[in-house]
Amino acid sequence: MNREQVVINEVGPRDGLQTQARTLTVEQRLQLIQALMAANLRHLEVGSFVSPKAVPQMANTDQLLARLPRDGEAEFSVLVPNIKGFELAAAAGASVVAVVVSATETMNQRNINMSLGETLDTARAIIGLGHERGVRVQAYLSVAFECPFEGRVPAEVIRDQADQLMGWGADELVIADTIGAADPAAVRGLMNTLVETHGAARLACHFHDTRAMGLANVFAAIESGVRRFDSSIGGLGGCPFAPGAKGNVATEDVVMMCEQMGLATGIDMPALLRAVDLVSELTGSAQGGRAHYWLSNNAA
Ligand code: COA
Ligand code: ZN
């Protein structure tokens, strides 16, 4: 029997590394991506085209892209905050970009120095440019449950913004709980409505594990029909501009849960655990969700 598929988008090389005290070289970032590809990850967010003064860890993403395979085996995305970022990414050969709209006024100001209105206009323009140039655009709705500055974000606000981004033709809409404040009931409530309105094919979720509900939130979204998830190797991650944001839900934990529940991820777990060890070594701090310890000590 063919098992139902869950698609994992590995964001460790971007969301994970952008907050690390140690800035990795292009060579080390490449080494990590190769280890992740060896674990059969085929969707990876590899960097961002942002100001190197704002996020030095992501400088030289153009050099990294130039060294990644172009044979179509894997899909590499890069985050772009503005039109300049889109142009730089396109010039560097990016085929997928992630544009981030924060749901609240203050979060946009703190993250990219734009108002919410300007950010939405920018997202619309980037979706249009993507269509013209054959670049896939993933639209992120960040702080979709709670903003570190403005508090809880009403589900109606997210539904309206989601309608706009989908209406402009975003190839994918990613609902992001940037600071890890969502809970399974809130996730199910929001994702049920979004799946009903837009279908699950173009929807994805991005959860952080700040309050230990990351995996429960993934499960709630699965129950709502979502089959695409961002996660980060070793649970690495966070946003430098969102106080309190901790790591993403760990890829190895999501893979273990999905596989145990009978959903197929296509990921090679032993190779994934080796990538967790590598990222710990490269960042100089021990990383790991819960699966790593358990599987390392119990797997046959
Ligand atoms: N990539 C690289 N450099 C960029 C850029 C981009 N996408 N956009 C603007 N810049 C440069 C400008 O050329 C200018 O450079 P200069 O000082 O050498 O002349 C400088 O950044 C300031 O440009 P400005 O348009 O005034 O931007 P800003 O100061 O308002 O900053 C961002 C806006 C988006 C560039 C900046 O806030 C940023 O990079 N934030 C990072 C967001 C992020 O990664 N968040 C985490 C993930 S969601
Ligand atoms: Zn994130």
Side-chain angles (χ1 to χ4, degrees), residues 11-293:
V11 300
R14 198 281 301 171
D15 206 341
L17 294 183
Q18 76 178 3
T19 39
Q20 292 301 304
R22 193 183 279 181
T23 297
L24 304 196
T25 62
V26 168
E27 187 64 39
Q28 290 170 321
R29 289 161 70 189
L30 184 65
Q31 205 188 338
L32 173 60
I33 292 163
Q34 283 164 341
L36 294 164
M37 288 180 68
N40 288 339
L41 281 154
R42 291 294 172 262
H43 301 264
L44 299 106
E45 188 182 37
V46 295
S48 54
F49 285 86
V50 301
S51 160
K53 282 179 203 142
V55 188
Q57 293 89 338
M58 292 291 106
N60 305 318
T61 292
D62 54 342
Q63 293 174 23
L64 177 67
L65 275 185
R67 296 181 60 185
L68 291 173
R70 295 278 167 95
D71 55 10
E73 194 187 351
E75 186 186 83
F76 305 110
S77 62
V78 289
L79 183 145
V80 300
N82 52 19
I83 308 274
K84 177 174 174 137
F86 176 87
E87 292 296 353
L88 290 171
S95 55
V96 188
V97 297
V99 59
V100 180
V101 174
S102 297
T104 64
E105 189 60 47
T106 317
M107 189 63 215
N108 283 296
Q109 299 281 1
R110 299 291 178 102
N111 191 33
I112 55 173
N113 196 24
M114 280 191 223
S115 69
L116 174 56
E118 285 172 313
T119 310
L120 283 165
D121 289 347
T122 300
R124 182 179 194 165
I126 289 176
I127 292 167
L129 287 170
H131 287 171
E132 272 171 33
R133 315 253 190 103
V135 175
R136 240 171 76 75
V137 182
Q138 302 173 320
Y140 276 72
L141 259 179
S142 177
V143 299
F145 296 88
E146 187 174 318
C147 167
F149 309 106
E150 297 187 22
R152 296 307 294 184
V153 178
E156 304 82 72
V157 169
I158 301 301
R159 289 205 294 266
D160 287 349
Q161 293 173 347
D163 288 351
Q164 284 186 292
L165 291 163
M166 288 301 222
W168 296 331
D171 295 294
E172 187 173 329
L173 177 71
V174 189
I175 300 300
D177 179 24
T178 313
I179 60 168
D183 61 76
V187 170
R188 199 167 51 198
L190 179 62
M191 296 319 295
N192 275 352
T193 332
L194 293 179
V195 169
E196 217 169 88
T197 315
H198 303 287
R202 283 160 74 203
L203 285 172
C205 287
H206 173 117
F207 294 115
H208 284 253
D209 199 30
T210 318
R211 303 183 195 177
M213 281 183 261
L215 211 50
N217 291 334
V218 171
F219 176 69
I222 288 175
E223 292 269 279
S224 296
V226 177
R227 293 292 180 271
R228 306 177 75 89
F229 293 94
D230 283 5
S231 61
S232 175
I233 185 80
L236 206 66
C239 175
F241 310 101
K246 289 275 189 306
N248 287 80
V249 64
T251 303
E252 60 275 21
D253 290 3
V254 177
V255 169
M256 182 172 73
M257 183 180 78
C258 289
E259 295 283 343
Q260 195 170 328
M261 286 171 60
L263 296 162
T265 60
I267 308 297
D268 176 340
M269 185 55 94
L272 189 63
L273 297 181
R274 286 195 290 277
V276 178
D277 293 335
L278 176 66
V279 84
S280 299
E281 190 189 309
L282 292 173
T283 58
S285 57
Q287 302 293 337
R290 306 289 281 272
H292 184 269
Y293 179 81

